[in-house]
Amino acid sequence: MGDVLAGFHAAWEFESDSVLIRYERGIRTPKLFQALAERRVPLAALEGVTLSPGRRGTVVLRAEPRPGADPLMEAAAGQLKEHSDPYRLVLPAERATLAEYYADELRAQLTESGPAERHLVAAPEAPRHFKAYDGKASFDGTSVHFRWSWTGASTAKWKAGDQRFQVADLGGVEWRSPEVFEGHLRLLHRSPADGRTVQPDQDPATVVFGLGYGPVHESLPFAAAVLAAVRARGSAAAVPTTPPRRRDPADIAERIRHLGELHGAGLVTDEEFAVKKAELLAEL
């Protein structure tokens, strides 16, 4: 097609076999978009297109990626907030007719649907790094290195020492957004020793996020890059295939106590406290 449709924070260029998305740089542009800069999405990676009313006199054109086609979206696992969705293009309402035209043109070219057998959208390139609450994480394309901090790391992590994980030994990545309680990035071993669940702050294969540490625009591309490297080596699924064992009641009680302290300090809302407490109790 070759045409360009420009919206707020991004512009889509429609090509014969792909959509090239260029993200703007600016104070109001989501930081994740700025970090991604540009993405080429093959049409084979898409299974649908929607156009819906947006907020404050806007319309939203959204491409729907196939499950497993994009390592970034696979790592995000549905946790991205709406305004940070890289597949949304927000336009003024007066351009709705033009947006509908491009939506129809794009739909007509989509021939694939359902889970993709491999990643079709390029992952963020290595090397990558970011600072978590309890350490620094770096990825050079073949291995991940966790270097613990003096102020944030638990005793268990200090005893284990700094960690280096080869991609060949990994089975996937678990990313929990730093915008939610207990956000973290956990590396999943290809052959886990057992089914025990280790708390993120005690697990040497996990870095823990915190306020201002491990922001989405740094930690999510990092997770996507590692996940893509793992999959490129023919690794297994990016999430554990065996259910975790139930936690020790004493551990649950300690987590609820800590959660209560955060709630009392105003760092966790009433709703977040209730939801997380229910999740912890359900693990008994």
Side-chain angles (χ1 to χ4, degrees):
M1 295 163 63
D3 294 341
V4 176
L5 182 61
F8 299 113
H9 310 315
W12 290 11
E13 181 175 350
F14 301 92
E15 301 179 345
S16 60
D17 61 351
S18 63
V19 178
L20 178 61
I21 304 177
R22 294 189 176 94
Y23 302 101
E24 293 181 353
R25 292 185 176 275
I27 296 178
R28 296 184 178 181
T29 301
K31 290 184 177 181
L32 178 61
F33 291 2
Q34 297 185 52
L36 296 175
E38 179 178 297
R39 309 193 83 206
R40 184 177 299 278
V41 181
L43 298 185
L46 303 175
E47 63 179 2
V49 184
T50 61
L51 182 65
S52 59
R55 301 176 181 176
R56 300 177 182 177
T58 63
V59 293
V60 179
L61 180 65
R62 186 179 190 276
E64 300 176 350
R66 296 169 59 196
D70 184 348
L72 186 84
M73 301 305 285
E74 184 175 355
Q79 298 174 77
L80 284 178
K81 293 185 176 180
E82 189 177 73
H83 72 277
S84 294
D85 183 348
Y87 284 89
R88 294 175 77 249
L89 182 65
V90 181
L91 305 110
E94 56 266 24
R95 305 191 73 187
T97 301
L98 182 62
E100 182 62 48
Y101 165 78
Y102 282 111
D104 289 341
E105 289 289 306
L106 190 53
R107 288 190 196 101
Q109 297 185 75
L110 302 184
T111 60
E112 305 291 339
S113 63
E117 295 182 356
R118 60 184 179 86
H119 290 151
L120 301 173
V121 182
E125 295 182 355
R128 307 205 70 86
H129 58 84
F130 69 90
K131 185 176 181 180
Y133 174 74
D134 59 357
K136 294 181 179 180
S138 60
F139 175 52
D140 61 9
T142 60
S143 64
V144 180
H145 184 207
F146 291 163
R147 181 178 179 183
W148 308 122
S149 71
W150 284 96
T151 55
S154 65
T155 301
K157 290 183 176 180
W158 273 110
K159 286 183 177 179
D162 293 345
Q163 301 290 303
R164 185 175 295 278
F165 305 87
Q166 298 298 321
V167 166
D169 297 328
L170 299 178
V173 179
E174 178 185 84
W175 182 79
R176 294 293 177 265
S177 174
E179 297 177 335
V180 301
F181 180 69
E182 289 193 331
H184 62 266
L185 184 146
R186 189 194 304 268
L187 301 178
L188 307 176
H189 291 281
R190 180 188 294 273
S191 301
D194 52 46
R196 290 182 300 173
T197 298
V198 181
Q199 283 300 312
D201 62 344
Q202 302 295 312
D203 184 2
T206 305
V207 288
V208 176
F209 303 148
L211 186 62
Y213 295 91
V216 171
H217 71 282
E218 293 180 348
S219 60
L220 179 56
F222 184 104
V226 175
L227 178 59
V230 170
R231 291 296 177 80
R233 296 186 64 92
S235 176
V239 295
T241 56
T242 56
R245 296 177 185 174
R246 295 187 180 278
R247 294 184 186 175
D248 183 346
D251 178 56
I252 294 293
E254 175 62 22
R255 303 302 297 181
I256 292 177
R257 184 194 66 76
H258 177 60
L259 181 64
E261 292 178 351
L262 295 176
H263 179 246
L267 299 176
V268 175
T269 66
D270 292 344
E271 181 180 359
E272 290 172 333
F273 174 76
V275 170
K276 188 60 183 179
K277 182 179 178 180
E279 290 178 355
L280 290 170
L281 291 174
E283 297 181 25
L284 288 173

